[in-house]
Amino acid sequence: MAVLGAGPAQAATGYRYWSFWESDGGAWTYATLGPATARPSDGDVIGFRFSVSEDSGGSAKPRHAAGSFGDICAGTPAEEGAKRVAVVIDPGTAADAPAGERPPARRTACARTAADATAADALASVAKPLRYDSTALLCAISGYPKTGCGEQVSGREDGPGSPAPSTASSAADGNGADDAGGGPSAGLLVGLAAVLALGVAGVWQARRRRG
């Protein structure tokens, strides 16, 4: 049986969303918990990056030094009963922006929050308005983007210049950010699976009652 040669490279399919990152002091690490679950400590740096990507393995990182707490929070003194978290917000590039929109400038902020605050709390304290969808997926930071949430984007060619894959930042769990192996679908698919499971359980219970 003849083996046909490989066809032309296929356009990559990705997702457009905010990914959630944590700093290990010197480098960005893709968060294993969602921002509403992760609880950074005083002196930590967290980052959010908007991009189009296929999965977390090659996700685009925030374009700011990961170990920059001293610079970002230099003007925010420590306070008893509170903590300071450096927040990096990178809206990404024009190539990743939804049609008709332009990404705002990158920025940083020092969030002073309660000692038990989550990463989502820290973000909300410095970057309102935030927009979430019905599955708690983080859709917009400071109003960007105006529309859309983790939507699928196709037609991008694989290659050295293509944006790196990433995962959506879910407020609840997953990085939109779930486990490091999932795509933005991570948060998205977990939510869909939960809804499906509940639906199946409901049907089963109804049949038992009728029986």
Side-chain angles (χ1 to χ4, degrees):
M1 175 171 147
V3 178
L4 299 179
Q10 296 297 309
T13 297
Y15 297 83
R16 181 183 285 121
Y17 55 89
W18 285 95
S19 56
F20 172 45
W21 299 81
E22 297 170 321
S23 169
D24 64 3
W28 288 112
T29 301
Y30 197 84
T32 56
L33 295 175
T37 304
R39 295 183 186 277
S41 301
D42 182 74
D44 282 353
V45 183
I46 60 175
F48 296 85
R49 171 68 190 266
F50 189 75
S51 66
V52 173
S53 54
E54 295 174 76
D55 55 49
S56 62
S59 182
K61 300 178 181 180
R63 294 168 295 171
H64 190 89
S68 53
F69 176 82
D71 294 332
I72 297 173
C73 289
T76 306
E79 190 175 276
E80 187 175 355
K83 65 183 176 184
R84 297 162 300 160
V85 179
V87 181
V88 174
I89 302 170
D90 184 349
T93 66
D96 290 333
E101 295 198 54
R102 292 185 63 82
R106 288 175 276 168
R107 68 189 184 94
T108 61
C110 186
R112 179 188 274 141
T113 67
D116 63 348
T118 64
D121 294 330
L123 177 63
S125 73
V126 299
K128 291 181 179 178
L130 303 180
R131 177 166 57 86
Y132 293 91
D133 73 357
S134 59
T135 65
L137 186 70
L138 178 59
C139 303
I141 296 177
S142 296
Y144 179 79
K146 295 177 181 178
T147 61
C149 191
E151 67 270 21
Q152 189 171 356
V153 179
S154 60
R156 304 188 67 147
E157 295 294 332
D158 287 318
S162 299
S166 158
T167 359
S169 293
S170 166
D173 44 33
N175 183 335
D178 209 52
D179 59 290
S185 14
L188 218 53
L189 291 180
V190 168
L192 291 174
V195 172
L196 180 60
L198 288 173
V200 171
V203 172
W204 182 74
Q205 289 286 356
R207 288 180 176 173
R208 285 190 62 189
R209 292 191 191 100
R210 288 199 298 269

